[in-house]
Amino acid sequence: QVQLVESGGGLVQAGGSLRLSCAVSGSIFRIFNMAWYRQAPGKQRELVASITETGITNYEDSVKGRFTISRDNAKSTVYLQMNSLKPEDTAVYFCNADVWPTAWEKNNYWGQGTQVSVSS
């Protein structure tokens, strides 16, 4: 069974930094795309950043230049370095991954979410 476990959320002042981590565990044959989403109160979940197996990245416009997504394939872990945080970045951040538990099965998985709160 595949699990995604996030860590690194917390409360920070505007202008500060946080680093989120998401470790994939369980039966893993291969991991393709990995991504971070966020959901603020009363809003829909939105894609923040994504990274392919080969390291190609994509960012939501509001975080470009401030957030950096990276991955360590040997550790089955994806990171989100968040700098110059703004109050509008406050949300629950979710990790997402396309995982092949076996060579013939592919599923999409979500983490449980980690709260990021930015005070002004």
Side-chain angles (χ1 to χ4, degrees):
Q1 186 166 346
V2 174
Q3 288 187 318
L4 277 60
V5 179
E6 299 122 335
S7 60
L11 174 64
V12 65
Q13 288 188 331
S17 298
L18 284 174
R19 188 191 193 208
L20 305 183
S21 299
C22 172
V24 183
S25 64
S27 174
I28 303 170
F29 174 73
R30 193 168 177 179
I31 303 174
F32 283 107
N33 294 340
M34 304 182 82
W36 288 95
Y37 287 74
R38 67 185 178 187
Q39 188 167 18
K43 294 188 177 181
Q44 289 188 332
R45 190 172 298 187
E46 65 174 358
L47 176 66
V48 176
S50 64
I51 185 167
T52 67
E53 188 180 21
T54 57
I56 298 172
T57 59
N58 180 60
Y59 296 93
E60 193 269 328
D61 285 345
S62 69
V63 309
K64 286 180 180 177
R66 300 189 298 121
F67 291 9
T68 302
I69 189 170
S70 61
R71 62 190 284 172
D72 184 333
N73 290 330
K75 296 182 179 180
S76 299
T77 299
V78 64
Y79 306 95
L80 186 67
Q81 177 67 43
M82 304 184 293
N83 299 328
S84 303
L85 281 161
K86 304 176 180 180
E88 51 263 44
D89 294 318
T90 295
V92 178
Y93 283 70
F94 297 89
C95 176
N96 180 272
D98 290 324
V99 180
W100 292 73
T102 64
W104 54 87
E105 178 188 6
K106 175 190 171 184
N107 291 311
N108 184 262
Y109 296 89
W110 290 92
Q112 80 284 356
T114 185
Q115 177 70 47
V116 171
S117 299
V118 184
S119 63
S120 58

